[in-house]
Amino acid sequence: MRPVQWIMLFLWGIAMVAAGCRSNPLDVDISGIHANIELERFDRDLFEMDQDTMDGAIGALYRRYDDFYDVFNVHVINIGQASSRRYASYLSMFINDPTNREVFEYTNQIFDSATEIEAGLTNGFRHYLYHYPDSIPPRVVGYVSRFNRGLFTVGDFVGIGLDQYLGSDCKYYQQMGVPNYLAQKKMPVRVPVDVMYAWATQLYPYNDSVDNVLSRMVYHGQLAWFVGAMFPKLDEQLNMGFTDDQMKWCTNNEKQMWTHLVEQKLLFSTDPMNIRKLVEDAPFTRFYTSESPGRAAVWQGWQIINAFMERNPKLTVHQVMSQRNYQELLRLSRYNP
């Protein structure tokens, strides 16, 4: 596998050149915004801890990682709180499990240097500070959980499972039978994108007072739009996790997708199965053709937000993201592909 730094530079370069040809009002001047986002390596602190002084090492981890450490213990690796009587024993078993150590060592090799990832994160959160000048960016903490969980947010932390970004051809994903449509998104280059997406979900939780297809597709479209606002030179397909062909399919079939949703009365469907088929990861979107990408309706939700912005260009990013009446947002956008 090629070094992660080279892959990051190559893919981000393509994305930026492709998007740079288009005029983007969100491509703001951040030269006066100063930030330096570090990818904190909790995985190294954990697996390389001095187990001869376990209690002291655990205390140091708790002091440094605070709420993140609690969530990691209880909800990611499921060994309970650090205050429990047998916690040290359970943590030692997790660290010394041969497979866990192997996965950590492989992950540590892939992410030997985080220079390019940190550059991407810093770029994104400099844009964030431009739009939210009174805010403080989150701490971004990388961990290894033997593929248990990819992302979570708590307080001012975004936790990211680095073992979920080892490259689409990673042997572990092949051994686990991870389908191609998911493996293609497990690239190191996606770390800044997914961190920003996760942070957006914490800032702007879903308004589930009316839960239907339209609400879900517009909400997730808002999140994709937010990521695009924080990375204004990022290509749409990298934002969405689409291939070139999948991106072309969406742009070529935008009108047909919309017509189908309207004619089949799917927009206001509250059936959880219909919602999942249209907005969640899948080999393709079930209501469309097999050439469509999964989450094609989310891309269309993003286009609704773009249409809304074209009619309301003076709104701030926060004002756009604060729109919680999704049906009204659609009406105001006058979206008509």
Side-chain angles (χ1 to χ4, degrees):
M1 182 175 290
R2 289 171 291 184
V4 64
Q5 299 96 324
W6 189 91
I7 297 173
M8 289 284 293
L9 280 171
F10 179 73
L11 292 177
W12 274 94
I14 290 176
M16 299 308 171
V17 169
C21 299
R22 302 188 295 271
S23 175
N24 185 349
L26 292 169
D27 191 4
V28 296
D29 181 8
I30 59 169
S31 59
I33 307 296
H34 302 288
N36 183 30
I37 307 301
E38 175 189 357
L39 176 63
E40 300 184 50
R41 296 299 300 273
F42 172 79
D43 58 318
R44 288 176 177 166
D45 290 343
L46 181 64
F47 280 91
E48 296 174 355
M49 69 189 301
D50 184 357
Q51 296 185 51
D52 291 332
T53 57
M54 195 74 163
D55 289 342
I58 291 171
L61 287 176
Y62 210 112
R63 287 190 296 274
R64 178 172 180 182
Y65 293 106
D66 197 27
D67 290 343
F68 166 89
Y69 194 41
D70 276 334
V71 173
F72 177 81
N73 287 322
V74 177
H75 299 291
V76 178
I77 61 173
N78 305 307
I79 62 172
Q81 295 182 337
S83 59
S84 65
R85 184 172 58 87
R86 299 200 61 188
Y87 171 77
S89 175
Y90 291 145
L91 184 64
S92 178
M93 290 171 60
F94 177 83
I95 294 171
N96 294 303
D97 179 278
T99 302
N100 290 346
R101 294 208 68 86
E102 179 184 321
V103 172
F104 162 68
E105 289 165 5
Y106 188 90
T107 303
N108 200 32
Q109 178 184 355
I110 296 299
F111 290 94
D112 178 54
S113 170
T115 301
E116 296 305 323
I117 290 174
E118 290 176 339
L121 290 168
T122 296
N123 175 61
F125 281 105
R126 286 176 70 196
H127 283 86
Y128 174 72
L129 290 173
Y130 176 94
H131 294 290
Y132 301 83
D134 297 326
S135 298
I136 299 175
R139 292 172 60 184
V140 181
V141 180
Y143 61 86
V144 167
S145 66
R146 195 168 165 179
F147 316 109
N148 282 344
R149 190 168 178 178
L151 280 161
F152 69 85
T153 62
V154 56
D156 60 349
F157 291 93
V158 177
I160 184 156
L162 298 179
D163 48 347
Q164 298 281 5
Y165 296 89
L166 301 178
S168 59
D169 60 347
C170 173
K171 62 181 181 180
Y172 296 113
Y173 305 148
Q174 295 171 1
Q175 291 169 1
M176 292 187 295
V178 175
N180 290 335
Y181 73 90
L182 292 177
Q184 74 183 29
K185 299 181 181 182
K186 293 182 177 294
M187 299 291 290
V189 70
R190 289 204 56 82
V191 169
V193 175
D194 288 353
V195 165
M196 193 62 72
Y197 191 95
W199 187 238
T201 65
Q202 171 147 312
L203 295 175
Y204 301 100
Y206 176 62
N207 175 19
D208 60 358
S209 58
V210 178
D211 192 17
N212 56 30
V213 167
L214 174 65
S215 297
R216 290 282 182 172
M217 63 187 284
V218 172
Y219 170 68
H220 286 285
Q222 279 181 308
L223 297 179
W225 181 86
F226 180 90
V227 172
M230 300 304 111
F231 297 107
K233 289 185 169 64
L234 184 67
D235 194 64
E236 282 189 359
Q237 68 192 57
L238 184 55
N239 190 333
M240 291 296 303
F242 290 171
T243 65
D244 288 345
D245 288 341
Q246 289 172 336
M247 192 74 255
K248 290 176 182 175
W249 188 94
C250 286
T251 55
N252 291 338
N253 292 275
E254 183 176 2
K255 182 177 180 62
Q256 292 90 326
M257 283 194 290
W258 186 247
T259 299
H260 185 78
L261 291 176
V262 172
E263 291 182 348
Q264 298 300 313
K265 296 181 173 56
L266 288 167
L267 279 177
F268 301 105
S269 171
T270 58
D271 184 340
M273 185 63 70
N274 288 341
I275 294 172
R276 286 196 294 271
K277 287 179 179 179
L278 284 160
V279 304
E280 293 187 1
D281 280 319
F284 60 93
T285 301
R286 294 286 177 177
F287 291 106
Y288 306 145
T289 73
S290 59
E291 287 76 31
S292 67
R295 301 177 71 241
V298 172
W299 177 84
Q300 194 145 42
W302 186 4
Q303 307 320 303
I304 292 172
I305 305 303
N306 286 336
F308 175 76
M309 275 304 299
E310 287 177 6
R311 295 187 175 276
N312 300 275
K314 294 184 179 180
L315 292 182
T316 66
V317 170
H318 175 63
Q319 287 172 328
V320 174
M321 295 301 297
S322 296
Q323 302 290 322
R324 312 320 277 156
N325 187 328
Y326 307 114
Q327 184 173 346
E328 178 68 2
L329 198 156
L330 171 63
R331 186 186 69 81
L332 294 173
S333 75
R334 300 184 189 177
Y335 179 70
N336 186 25

